[in-house]
């Protein structure tokens, strides 16, 4: 077993429904070091905070190579598993994405179903599943069980009628699970009943997003969540605190 594969399996084992792993969403070596020093056992790099940190925009305003530069800096600085938000894949083939991530030391990824390079269209459920399958096959070929977190933006986009949105999200993410996803990410803020249903009916552990200044871990655990991340909110919370500190020096 390679060290990368061992790290990937460690990351996967942290995903326990009802006892969620918190993966602070970081953007550089500094923020990663802070999170690890605080006692967290894994990290995720978010596309939005990474893009903000290098003067780019979210939605693939940075290149995959720019993202990988940050990933390599983080993995060189910390000794915990690192997952990376690769947005919708930057128009690259699965093999390119997996090879780039592994070369930079990452062992997990988030993949979205919004295609930023094509007018932000939503991939069909099968198209998204096919991409997940390609990523799984590329990871298998590299002998590393990269932890694939398949994300849907149905809720963020408020796509279609709200009355059957949870049904459509479950159907879409179930296809991704069949294709090889390890974790499923119906990104957005959900009523408790909807989140419990997603956690109960989906065939893989689910990821929920949280505000870092809101103590919701136990609540999300009770709903069956297996993974918690912060998206851009940790960076925004720290930014607001810095603004308050600096205001006193005007």
């Amino acid at each position: 077993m390679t060290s990368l594969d061992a790290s990937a399996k460690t990351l996967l084992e942290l995903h326990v429904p009802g006892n969620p792993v918190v993966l602070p969403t970081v953007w550089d070596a500094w923020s990663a070091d802070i999170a690890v020093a605080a006692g967290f056992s894994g990290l995720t790099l978010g596309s939005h905070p990474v893009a903000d940190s290098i003067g780019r925009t979210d939605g693939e305003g940075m290149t995959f190579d720019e993202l990988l530069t940050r990933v390599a800096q983080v993995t060189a600085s910390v000794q915990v598993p690192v997952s990376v938000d690769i947005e919708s894949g930057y128009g690259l083939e699965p093999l390119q994405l997996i090879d780039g991530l592994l070369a930079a030391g990452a062992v997990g990824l988030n993949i979205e179903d919004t295609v930023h390079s094509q007018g932000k269209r939503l991939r069909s459920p099968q198209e998204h599943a096919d991409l997940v399958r390609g990523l799984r096959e590329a990871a298998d070929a590299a002998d590393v069980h990269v932890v694939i977190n398949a994300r849907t933006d149905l809720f963020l986009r408020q796509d279609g009628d709200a009355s059957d949105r949870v049904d459509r999200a479950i159907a879409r993410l179930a296809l991704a699970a069949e294709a090889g996803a390890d974790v499923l990410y119906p990104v957005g803020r959900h009523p408790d009943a909807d989140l419990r249903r997603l956690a109960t009916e989906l065939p893989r552990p689910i990821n929920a997003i949280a505000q870092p200044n809101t103590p919701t871990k136990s609540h999300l655990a009770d709903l069956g969540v297996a993974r918690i991340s912060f998206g851009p909110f940790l960076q925004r919370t720290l930014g607001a605190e810095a603004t308050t500190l600096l205001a006193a020096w005007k």
Side-chain angles (χ1 to χ4, degrees):
M1 182 185 299
T2 66
S3 59
L4 282 175
D5 190 49
S7 183
K9 289 176 178 175
T10 295
L11 177 61
L12 183 58
E13 289 168 359
L14 295 173
H15 293 75
V16 180
N19 183 23
V21 60
V22 178
L23 300 179
T25 306
V26 300
W27 54 93
D28 60 8
W30 173 80
S31 55
D33 287 343
I34 288 174
V36 171
F40 290 92
S41 53
L43 303 172
T44 185
L45 269 77
S47 63
H48 200 152
V50 172
D52 281 351
S53 75
I54 63 172
R56 301 287 190 268
T57 58
D58 192 31
E60 299 187 2
M62 64 182 166
T63 67
F64 187 51
D65 284 343
E66 287 175 324
L67 174 61
L68 290 180
T69 295
R70 282 295 204 198
V71 175
Q73 291 166 351
V74 168
T75 60
S77 187
V78 300
Q79 301 300 312
V80 300
V82 172
S83 183
V84 181
D85 177 358
I86 60 169
E87 305 197 67
S88 57
Y90 298 91
L92 301 175
E93 293 298 317
L95 183 60
Q96 293 173 285
L97 295 167
I98 292 295
D99 283 353
L101 289 170
L102 293 177
V107 294
L109 64 88
N110 287 10
I111 185 70
E112 303 173 10
D113 54 4
T114 295
V115 188
H116 299 286
S117 61
Q118 297 177 16
K120 299 189 181 298
R121 70 175 182 87
L122 189 71
R123 288 190 177 102
S124 72
Q126 189 60 57
E127 184 184 10
H128 194 47
D130 289 343
L131 176 55
V132 169
R133 181 173 292 105
L135 291 165
R136 173 57 62 217
E137 290 172 351
D140 287 347
D143 291 324
V144 179
H145 189 92
V146 174
V147 178
I148 297 176
N149 188 17
R151 168 176 148 170
T152 183
D153 290 344
L154 282 178
F155 299 98
L156 280 184
R157 297 164 60 108
Q158 298 187 337
D159 185 84
D161 196 298
S163 63
D164 68 345
R165 194 172 293 141
V166 174
D167 293 328
R168 286 182 288 116
I170 289 171
R172 175 178 289 261
L173 291 174
L175 279 178
E178 290 176 11
D182 300 291
V183 189
L184 305 171
Y185 191 10
V187 65
R189 303 302 293 272
H190 306 284
D192 286 357
D194 287 350
L195 191 56
R196 188 184 299 279
R197 185 181 167 205
L198 289 161
T200 300
E201 296 186 23
L202 283 169
R204 296 286 185 274
I206 70 165
N207 186 167
I209 194 168
Q211 297 270 4
N213 56 349
T214 303
T216 59
K217 181 179 178 180
S218 61
H219 182 68
L220 292 174
D222 289 343
L223 295 175
V225 168
R227 168 172 170 162
I228 298 168
S229 52
F230 298 137
F233 298 121
L234 176 59
Q235 188 184 60
R236 289 180 184 175
T237 300
L238 293 176
E241 181 66 19
T243 299
T244 299
L245 292 171
L246 292 171
W249 292 87
K250 286 183 180 178

